[in-house]
Amino acid sequence: QVQLVESGGGAVQAGGSLRLSCAASGRTFIGYTMGWFRQAPGKEREIVAAITWSSSIIQYADSVKGRFTISRDNAKNTVYLQMNSLDPKDTAVYYCAARARPGLEDWGTTRLYDYWGHGTQVTVSS
């Protein structure tokens, strides 16, 4: 059974930082591209960042560039999202996702991701 389990969410004041983790288990994720998405109340799920297997290609949504950093440790089957300078607009449920499709073409298309975590809540207060 494939599982992606997010952790590290919580409540923080504006300007603060959080580090999200996503642990993958149940199969090998060799070659998989990993992504972080988020969904705020009443809004569609949107891409935040994505990273290829080798970490050679990384993409960020414009709204988080310069503030968020995605990384992965393949030996631990874990992907991270370091979030700095958090803003109340970053408040959302954050989801980890994995796809077998290589590279980052159409990296923000949710239907192209094969596995999803259940999400972790991030709340940023002003």
Side-chain angles (χ1 to χ4, degrees):
Q1 182 180 358
V2 174
Q3 277 193 314
L4 298 177
V5 179
E6 302 95 336
S7 61
V12 64
Q13 289 190 329
S17 298
L18 285 173
R19 188 193 193 205
L20 305 184
S21 299
C22 171
S25 63
R27 64 154 296 138
T28 177
F29 284 88
I30 293 174
Y32 274 61
T33 288
M34 302 296 293
W36 283 99
F37 289 75
R38 67 186 181 186
Q39 188 166 18
K43 295 189 177 182
E44 293 187 354
R45 192 169 298 188
E46 64 176 2
I47 186 73
V48 174
I51 185 169
T52 55
W53 166 256
S54 64
S55 302
S56 59
I57 307 175
I58 292 173
Q59 292 278 12
Y60 296 98
D62 288 343
S63 58
V64 306
K65 280 181 181 176
R67 301 188 299 123
F68 290 11
T69 302
I70 188 172
S71 61
R72 65 190 295 168
D73 184 339
N74 292 331
K76 296 181 179 179
N77 279 341
T78 302
V79 63
Y80 305 96
L81 185 68
Q82 177 66 44
M83 305 187 295
N84 298 329
S85 302
L86 283 162
D87 184 276
K89 293 181 180 179
D90 296 316
T91 295
V93 177
Y94 283 71
Y95 298 91
C96 172
R99 73 180 203 185
R101 183 186 180 115
L104 290 185
E105 185 178 0
D106 297 320
W107 61 295
T109 304
T110 56
R111 62 178 173 80
L112 296 180
Y113 286 78
D114 304 295
Y115 303 103
W116 291 84
H118 292 295
T120 185
Q121 176 71 45
V122 171
T123 302
V124 185
S125 58
S126 57

